[in-house]
PDB file of all heavy atoms in Angstrom:
ATOM      1  N   GLN W  21      82.871 -53.772 205.905  1.00 97.00           N
ATOM      2  CA  GLN W  21      83.691 -53.398 204.748  1.00 97.00           C
ATOM      3  C   GLN W  21      84.634 -54.533 204.351  1.00 97.00           C
ATOM      4  O   GLN W  21      84.901 -54.754 203.169  1.00 97.00           O
ATOM      5  CB  GLN W  21      84.469 -52.117 205.033  1.00 97.00           C
ATOM      6  CG  GLN W  21      83.568 -50.916 205.280  1.00 97.00           C
ATOM      7  CD  GLN W  21      82.542 -50.732 204.179  1.00 97.00           C
ATOM      8  OE1 GLN W  21      82.870 -50.600 203.007  1.00 97.00           O
ATOM      9  NE2 GLN W  21      81.276 -50.755 204.553  1.00 97.00           N
ATOM     10  N   ILE W  22      85.121 -55.278 205.334  1.00 98.00           N
ATOM     11  CA  ILE W  22      85.957 -56.443 205.023  1.00 98.00           C
ATOM     12  C   ILE W  22      85.121 -57.488 204.295  1.00 98.00           C
ATOM     13  O   ILE W  22      85.597 -58.120 203.348  1.00 98.00           O
ATOM     14  CB  ILE W  22      86.610 -57.005 206.302  1.00 98.00           C
ATOM     15  CG1 ILE W  22      87.660 -56.021 206.823  1.00 98.00           C
ATOM     16  CG2 ILE W  22      87.232 -58.375 206.037  1.00 98.00           C
ATOM     17  CD1 ILE W  22      88.267 -56.407 208.158  1.00 98.00           C
ATOM     18  N   LYS W  23      83.875 -57.653 204.707  1.00 97.00           N
ATOM     19  CA  LYS W  23      82.977 -58.579 204.004  1.00 97.00           C
ATOM     20  C   LYS W  23      82.781 -58.126 202.558  1.00 97.00           C
ATOM     21  O   LYS W  23      82.730 -58.961 201.643  1.00 97.00           O
ATOM     22  CB  LYS W  23      81.642 -58.684 204.730  1.00 97.00           C
ATOM     23  CG  LYS W  23      81.733 -59.455 206.028  1.00 97.00           C
ATOM     24  CD  LYS W  23      80.403 -59.470 206.753  1.00 97.00           C
ATOM     25  CE  LYS W  23      80.534 -60.139 208.111  1.00 97.00           C
ATOM     26  NZ  LYS W  23      79.299 -60.095 208.891  1.00 97.00           N
ATOM     27  N   ASN W  24      82.661 -56.818 202.341  1.00 97.00           N
ATOM     28  CA  ASN W  24      82.547 -56.295 200.971  1.00 97.00           C
ATOM     29  C   ASN W  24      83.802 -56.625 200.156  1.00 97.00           C
ATOM     30  O   ASN W  24      83.711 -57.001 198.986  1.00 97.00           O
ATOM     31  CB  ASN W  24      82.321 -54.782 200.977  1.00 97.00           C
ATOM     32  CG  ASN W  24      80.951 -54.395 201.485  1.00 97.00           C
ATOM     33  OD1 ASN W  24      80.051 -55.211 201.576  1.00 97.00           O
ATOM     34  ND2 ASN W  24      80.801 -53.134 201.844  1.00 97.00           N
ATOM     35  N   ILE W  25      84.958 -56.478 200.775  1.00 98.00           N
ATOM     36  CA  ILE W  25      86.223 -56.795 200.093  1.00 98.00           C
ATOM     37  C   ILE W  25      86.273 -58.282 199.757  1.00 98.00           C
ATOM     38  O   ILE W  25      86.666 -58.663 198.652  1.00 98.00           O
ATOM     39  CB  ILE W  25      87.436 -56.367 200.952  1.00 98.00           C
ATOM     40  CG1 ILE W  25      87.511 -54.832 201.019  1.00 98.00           C
ATOM     41  CG2 ILE W  25      88.730 -56.944 200.392  1.00 98.00           C
ATOM     42  CD1 ILE W  25      88.539 -54.292 201.998  1.00 98.00           C
ATOM     43  N   CYS W  26      85.851 -59.119 200.695  1.00 98.00           N
ATOM     44  CA  CYS W  26      85.845 -60.565 200.438  1.00 98.00           C
ATOM     45  C   CYS W  26      84.906 -60.912 199.284  1.00 98.00           C
ATOM     46  O   CYS W  26      85.238 -61.751 198.434  1.00 98.00           O
ATOM     47  CB  CYS W  26      85.435 -61.335 201.692  1.00 98.00           C
ATOM     48  SG  CYS W  26      86.696 -61.359 202.988  1.00 98.00           S
ATOM     49  N   GLY W  27      83.749 -60.277 199.244  1.00 98.00           N
ATOM     50  CA  GLY W  27      82.808 -60.518 198.146  1.00 98.00           C
ATOM     51  C   GLY W  27      83.391 -60.098 196.809  1.00 98.00           C
ATOM     52  O   GLY W  27      83.261 -60.817 195.804  1.00 98.00           O
ATOM     53  N   ALA W  28      84.040 -58.944 196.782  1.00 98.00           N
ATOM     54  CA  ALA W  28      84.671 -58.470 195.546  1.00 98.00           C
ATOM     55  C   ALA W  28      85.834 -59.379 195.156  1.00 98.00           C
ATOM     56  O   ALA W  28      86.044 -59.672 193.973  1.00 98.00           O
ATOM     57  CB  ALA W  28      85.147 -57.024 195.709  1.00 98.00           C
ATOM     58  N   ALA W  29      86.587 -59.850 196.137  1.00 98.00           N
ATOM     59  CA  ALA W  29      87.699 -60.769 195.863  1.00 98.00           C
ATOM     60  C   ALA W  29      87.160 -62.065 195.262  1.00 98.00           C
ATOM     61  O   ALA W  29      87.744 -62.599 194.301  1.00 98.00           O
ATOM     62  CB  ALA W  29      88.481 -61.056 197.140  1.00 98.00           C
ATOM     63  N   ASP W  30      86.058 -62.569 195.799  1.00 98.00           N
ATOM     64  CA  ASP W  30      85.437 -63.772 195.236  1.00 98.00           C
ATOM     65  C   ASP W  30      85.025 -63.538 193.780  1.00 98.00           C
ATOM     66  O   ASP W  30      85.183 -64.417 192.929  1.00 98.00           O
ATOM     67  CB  ASP W  30      84.219 -64.197 196.055  1.00 98.00           C
ATOM     68  CG  ASP W  30      84.580 -64.802 197.402  1.00 98.00           C
ATOM     69  OD1 ASP W  30      85.733 -65.245 197.579  1.00 98.00           O
ATOM     70  OD2 ASP W  30      83.687 -64.839 198.291  1.00 98.00           O
ATOM     71  N   GLY W  31      84.498 -62.354 193.503  1.00 97.00           N
ATOM     72  CA  GLY W  31      84.127 -62.019 192.128  1.00 97.00           C
ATOM     73  C   GLY W  31      85.327 -61.982 191.199  1.00 97.00           C
ATOM     74  O   GLY W  31      85.275 -62.480 190.060  1.00 97.00           O
ATOM     75  N   MET W  32      86.425 -61.414 191.672  1.00 97.00           N
ATOM     76  CA  MET W  32      87.653 -61.379 190.869  1.00 97.00           C
ATOM     77  C   MET W  32      88.183 -62.789 190.618  1.00 97.00           C
ATOM     78  O   MET W  32      88.677 -63.080 189.533  1.00 97.00           O
ATOM     79  CB  MET W  32      88.727 -60.529 191.549  1.00 97.00           C
ATOM     80  CG  MET W  32      88.520 -59.066 191.406  1.00 97.00           C
ATOM     81  SD  MET W  32      89.978 -58.204 192.053  1.00 97.00           S
ATOM     82  CE  MET W  32      89.463 -56.527 191.838  1.00 97.00           C
ATOM     83  N   VAL W  33      88.077 -63.631 191.631  1.00 97.00           N
ATOM     84  CA  VAL W  33      88.519 -65.020 191.474  1.00 97.00           C
ATOM     85  C   VAL W  33      87.687 -65.707 190.387  1.00 97.00           C
ATOM     86  O   VAL W  33      88.235 -66.428 189.543  1.00 97.00           O
ATOM     87  CB  VAL W  33      88.430 -65.775 192.824  1.00 97.00           C
ATOM     88  CG1 VAL W  33      88.511 -67.287 192.626  1.00 97.00           C
ATOM     89  CG2 VAL W  33      89.523 -65.298 193.768  1.00 97.00           C
ATOM     90  N   THR W  34      86.400 -65.475 190.381  1.00 97.00           N
ATOM     91  CA  THR W  34      85.531 -66.071 189.368  1.00 97.00           C
ATOM     92  C   THR W  34      85.951 -65.622 187.971  1.00 97.00           C
ATOM     93  O   THR W  34      86.051 -66.443 187.046  1.00 97.00           O
ATOM     94  CB  THR W  34      84.057 -65.687 189.635  1.00 97.00           C
ATOM     95  OG1 THR W  34      83.685 -66.168 190.928  1.00 97.00           O
ATOM     96  CG2 THR W  34      83.132 -66.274 188.584  1.00 97.00           C
ATOM     97  N   ILE W  35      86.223 -64.347 187.818  1.00 97.00           N
ATOM     98  CA  ILE W  35      86.664 -63.834 186.507  1.00 97.00           C
ATOM     99  C   ILE W  35      88.018 -64.429 186.146  1.00 97.00           C
ATOM    100  O   ILE W  35      88.224 -64.899 185.025  1.00 97.00           O
ATOM    101  CB  ILE W  35      86.733 -62.289 186.528  1.00 97.00           C
ATOM    102  CG1 ILE W  35      85.329 -61.695 186.641  1.00 97.00           C
ATOM    103  CG2 ILE W  35      87.437 -61.767 185.284  1.00 97.00           C
ATOM    104  CD1 ILE W  35      85.297 -60.204 186.889  1.00 97.00           C
ATOM    105  N   ALA W  36      88.943 -64.423 187.080  1.00 97.00           N
ATOM    106  CA  ALA W  36      90.304 -64.913 186.814  1.00 97.00           C
ATOM    107  C   ALA W  36      90.307 -66.388 186.431  1.00 97.00           C
ATOM    108  O   ALA W  36      91.123 -66.816 185.598  1.00 97.00           O
ATOM    109  CB  ALA W  36      91.194 -64.674 188.024  1.00 97.00           C
ATOM    110  N   ASN W  37      89.410 -67.161 187.006  1.00 96.00           N
ATOM    111  CA  ASN W  37      89.336 -68.578 186.677  1.00 96.00           C
ATOM    112  C   ASN W  37      88.965 -68.808 185.210  1.00 96.00           C
ATOM    113  O   ASN W  37      89.305 -69.842 184.640  1.00 96.00           O
ATOM    114  CB  ASN W  37      88.352 -69.300 187.595  1.00 96.00           C
ATOM    115  CG  ASN W  37      88.915 -69.514 188.983  1.00 96.00           C
ATOM    116  OD1 ASN W  37      90.127 -69.552 189.181  1.00 96.00           O
ATOM    117  ND2 ASN W  37      88.035 -69.646 189.961  1.00 96.00           N
ATOM    118  N   ASN W  38      88.296 -67.857 184.595  1.00 94.00           N
ATOM    119  CA  ASN W  38      87.954 -67.964 183.166  1.00 94.00           C
ATOM    120  C   ASN W  38      89.181 -67.785 182.275  1.00 94.00           C
ATOM    121  O   ASN W  38      89.123 -68.080 181.089  1.00 94.00           O
ATOM    122  CB  ASN W  38      86.897 -66.915 182.777  1.00 94.00           C
ATOM    123  CG  ASN W  38      85.567 -67.158 183.454  1.00 94.00           C
ATOM    124  OD1 ASN W  38      85.217 -68.278 183.787  1.00 94.00           O
ATOM    125  ND2 ASN W  38      84.826 -66.085 183.670  1.00 94.00           N
ATOM    126  N   TYR W  39      90.265 -67.272 182.841  1.00 94.00           N
ATOM    127  CA  TYR W  39      91.457 -66.942 182.050  1.00 94.00           C
ATOM    128  C   TYR W  39      92.709 -67.683 182.549  1.00 94.00           C
ATOM    129  O   TYR W  39      93.824 -67.280 182.267  1.00 94.00           O
ATOM    130  CB  TYR W  39      91.698 -65.426 182.061  1.00 94.00           C
ATOM    131  CG  TYR W  39      90.522 -64.679 181.459  1.00 94.00           C
ATOM    132  CD1 TYR W  39      89.471 -64.245 182.260  1.00 94.00           C
ATOM    133  CD2 TYR W  39      90.446 -64.458 180.087  1.00 94.00           C
ATOM    134  CE1 TYR W  39      88.386 -63.586 181.713  1.00 94.00           C
ATOM    135  CE2 TYR W  39      89.355 -63.801 179.529  1.00 94.00           C
ATOM    136  CZ  TYR W  39      88.325 -63.375 180.347  1.00 94.00           C
ATOM    137  OH  TYR W  39      87.236 -62.734 179.793  1.00 94.00           O
ATOM    138  N   ASP W  40      92.509 -68.739 183.296  1.00 93.00           N
ATOM    139  CA  ASP W  40      93.616 -69.555 183.818  1.00 93.00           C
ATOM    140  C   ASP W  40      94.647 -68.739 184.599  1.00 93.00           C
ATOM    141  O   ASP W  40      95.849 -68.948 184.468  1.00 93.00           O
ATOM    142  CB  ASP W  40      94.300 -70.336 182.682  1.00 93.00           C
ATOM    143  CG  ASP W  40      93.372 -71.366 182.069  1.00 93.00           C
ATOM    144  OD1 ASP W  40      92.560 -71.943 182.827  1.00 93.00           O
ATOM    145  OD2 ASP W  40      93.464 -71.590 180.843  1.00 93.00           O
ATOM    146  N   ILE W  41      94.172 -67.800 185.395  1.00 95.00           N
ATOM    147  CA  ILE W  41      95.030 -66.996 186.264  1.00 95.00           C
ATOM    148  C   ILE W  41      94.994 -67.641 187.649  1.00 95.00           C
ATOM    149  O   ILE W  41      93.927 -68.020 188.144  1.00 95.00           O
ATOM    150  CB  ILE W  41      94.555 -65.529 186.319  1.00 95.00           C
ATOM    151  CG1 ILE W  41      94.663 -64.887 184.928  1.00 95.00           C
ATOM    152  CG2 ILE W  41      95.346 -64.733 187.341  1.00 95.00           C
ATOM    153  CD1 ILE W  41      94.047 -63.500 184.829  1.00 95.00           C
ATOM    154  N   ASP W  42      96.159 -67.776 188.274  1.00 96.00           N
ATOM    155  CA  ASP W  42      96.247 -68.408 189.592  1.00 96.00           C
ATOM    156  C   ASP W  42      95.492 -67.582 190.626  1.00 96.00           C
ATOM    157  O   ASP W  42      95.785 -66.397 190.835  1.00 96.00           O
ATOM    158  CB  ASP W  42      97.713 -68.549 190.003  1.00 96.00           C
ATOM    159  CG  ASP W  42      97.869 -69.217 191.368  1.00 96.00           C
ATOM    160  OD1 ASP W  42      96.979 -69.995 191.753  1.00 96.00           O
ATOM    161  OD2 ASP W  42      98.888 -68.948 192.034  1.00 96.00           O
ATOM    162  N   THR W  43      94.528 -68.219 191.269  1.00 97.00           N
ATOM    163  CA  THR W  43      93.704 -67.535 192.268  1.00 97.00           C
ATOM    164  C   THR W  43      93.829 -68.150 193.660  1.00 97.00           C
ATOM    165  O   THR W  43      93.165 -67.706 194.591  1.00 97.00           O
ATOM    166  CB  THR W  43      92.214 -67.584 191.850  1.00 97.00           C
ATOM    167  OG1 THR W  43      91.816 -68.957 191.751  1.00 97.00           O
ATOM    168  CG2 THR W  43      91.990 -66.871 190.527  1.00 97.00           C
ATOM    169  N   ASP W  44      94.696 -69.145 193.800  1.00 97.00           N
ATOM    170  CA  ASP W  44      94.796 -69.848 195.085  1.00 97.00           C
ATOM    171  C   ASP W  44      95.138 -68.929 196.264  1.00 97.00           C
ATOM    172  O   ASP W  44      94.509 -69.042 197.332  1.00 97.00           O
ATOM    173  CB  ASP W  44      95.810 -70.993 194.994  1.00 97.00           C
ATOM    174  CG  ASP W  44      95.301 -72.149 194.139  1.00 97.00           C
ATOM    175  OD1 ASP W  44      94.080 -72.214 193.868  1.00 97.00           O
ATOM    176  OD2 ASP W  44      96.132 -72.985 193.725  1.00 97.00           O
ATOM    177  N   PRO W  45      96.109 -68.015 196.125  1.00 97.00           N
ATOM    178  CA  PRO W  45      96.423 -67.156 197.277  1.00 97.00           C
ATOM    179  C   PRO W  45      95.232 -66.291 197.720  1.00 97.00           C
ATOM    180  O   PRO W  45      94.990 -66.127 198.915  1.00 97.00           O
ATOM    181  CB  PRO W  45      97.576 -66.276 196.784  1.00 97.00           C
ATOM    182  CG  PRO W  45      98.193 -67.039 195.655  1.00 97.00           C
ATOM    183  CD  PRO W  45      97.060 -67.789 195.021  1.00 97.00           C
ATOM    184  N   VAL W  46      94.494 -65.763 196.751  1.00 97.00           N
ATOM    185  CA  VAL W  46      93.350 -64.918 197.098  1.00 97.00           C
ATOM    186  C   VAL W  46      92.228 -65.765 197.694  1.00 97.00           C
ATOM    187  O   VAL W  46      91.603 -65.377 198.695  1.00 97.00           O
ATOM    188  CB  VAL W  46      92.849 -64.127 195.864  1.00 97.00           C
ATOM    189  CG1 VAL W  46      91.561 -63.374 196.185  1.00 97.00           C
ATOM    190  CG2 VAL W  46      93.921 -63.166 195.390  1.00 97.00           C
ATOM    191  N   SER W  47      91.976 -66.924 197.110  1.00 97.00           N
ATOM    192  CA  SER W  47      90.929 -67.804 197.647  1.00 97.00           C
ATOM    193  C   SER W  47      91.238 -68.220 199.073  1.00 97.00           C
ATOM    194  O   SER W  47      90.355 -68.223 199.941  1.00 97.00           O
ATOM    195  CB  SER W  47      90.778 -69.043 196.759  1.00 97.00           C
ATOM    196  OG  SER W  47      90.303 -68.688 195.484  1.00 97.00           O
ATOM    197  N   ALA W  48      92.481 -68.572 199.336  1.00 97.00           N
ATOM    198  CA  ALA W  48      92.878 -68.986 200.681  1.00 97.00           C
ATOM    199  C   ALA W  48      92.768 -67.825 201.665  1.00 97.00           C
ATOM    200  O   ALA W  48      92.239 -67.984 202.783  1.00 97.00           O
ATOM    201  CB  ALA W  48      94.303 -69.526 200.671  1.00 97.00           C
ATOM    202  N   ALA W  49      93.239 -66.646 201.263  1.00 97.00           N
ATOM    203  CA  ALA W  49      93.182 -65.476 202.154  1.00 97.00           C
ATOM    204  C   ALA W  49      91.739 -65.067 202.433  1.00 97.00           C
ATOM    205  O   ALA W  49      91.394 -64.701 203.563  1.00 97.00           O
ATOM    206  CB  ALA W  49      93.958 -64.314 201.544  1.00 97.00           C
ATOM    207  N   THR W  50      90.885 -65.160 201.429  1.00 98.00           N
ATOM    208  CA  THR W  50      89.476 -64.800 201.603  1.00 98.00           C
ATOM    209  C   THR W  50      88.782 -65.782 202.536  1.00 98.00           C
ATOM    210  O   THR W  50      88.035 -65.373 203.433  1.00 98.00           O
ATOM    211  CB  THR W  50      88.757 -64.754 200.235  1.00 98.00           C
ATOM    212  OG1 THR W  50      89.431 -63.826 199.394  1.00 98.00           O
ATOM    213  CG2 THR W  50      87.315 -64.312 200.387  1.00 98.00           C
ATOM    214  N   ALA W  51      89.027 -67.065 202.347  1.00 97.00           N
ATOM    215  CA  ALA W  51      88.405 -68.077 203.209  1.00 97.00           C
ATOM    216  C   ALA W  51      88.841 -67.903 204.664  1.00 97.00           C
ATOM    217  O   ALA W  51      88.011 -67.992 205.579  1.00 97.00           O
ATOM    218  CB  ALA W  51      88.759 -69.474 202.708  1.00 97.00           C
ATOM    219  N   GLU W  52      90.127 -67.647 204.866  1.00 97.00           N
ATOM    220  CA  GLU W  52      90.627 -67.467 206.227  1.00 97.00           C
ATOM    221  C   GLU W  52      90.022 -66.211 206.864  1.00 97.00           C
ATOM    222  O   GLU W  52      89.662 -66.204 208.044  1.00 97.00           O
ATOM    223  CB  GLU W  52      92.152 -67.387 206.229  1.00 97.00           C
ATOM    224  CG  GLU W  52      92.742 -67.515 207.602  1.00 97.00           C
ATOM    225  CD  GLU W  52      94.253 -67.674 207.599  1.00 97.00           C
ATOM    226  OE1 GLU W  52      94.871 -67.765 206.515  1.00 97.00           O
ATOM    227  OE2 GLU W  52      94.822 -67.706 208.698  1.00 97.00           O
ATOM    228  N   MET W  53      89.885 -65.152 206.068  1.00 97.00           N
ATOM    229  CA  MET W  53      89.299 -63.914 206.588  1.00 97.00           C
ATOM    230  C   MET W  53      87.838 -64.123 206.976  1.00 97.00           C
ATOM    231  O   MET W  53      87.403 -63.680 208.042  1.00 97.00           O
ATOM    232  CB  MET W  53      89.399 -62.792 205.549  1.00 97.00           C
ATOM    233  CG  MET W  53      88.728 -61.514 205.990  1.00 97.00           C
ATOM    234  SD  MET W  53      89.416 -60.800 207.497  1.00 97.00           S
ATOM    235  CE  MET W  53      90.841 -60.015 206.805  1.00 97.00           C
TER     236      MET W  53
END
């Protein structure tokens, strides 16, 4: 389930990057997880 959350977080980061929304905290937390 944590892997599912990480996958969904990666998807949100991809969407957010299209709108210049800061995604660094989520990207870092996902990579560490």
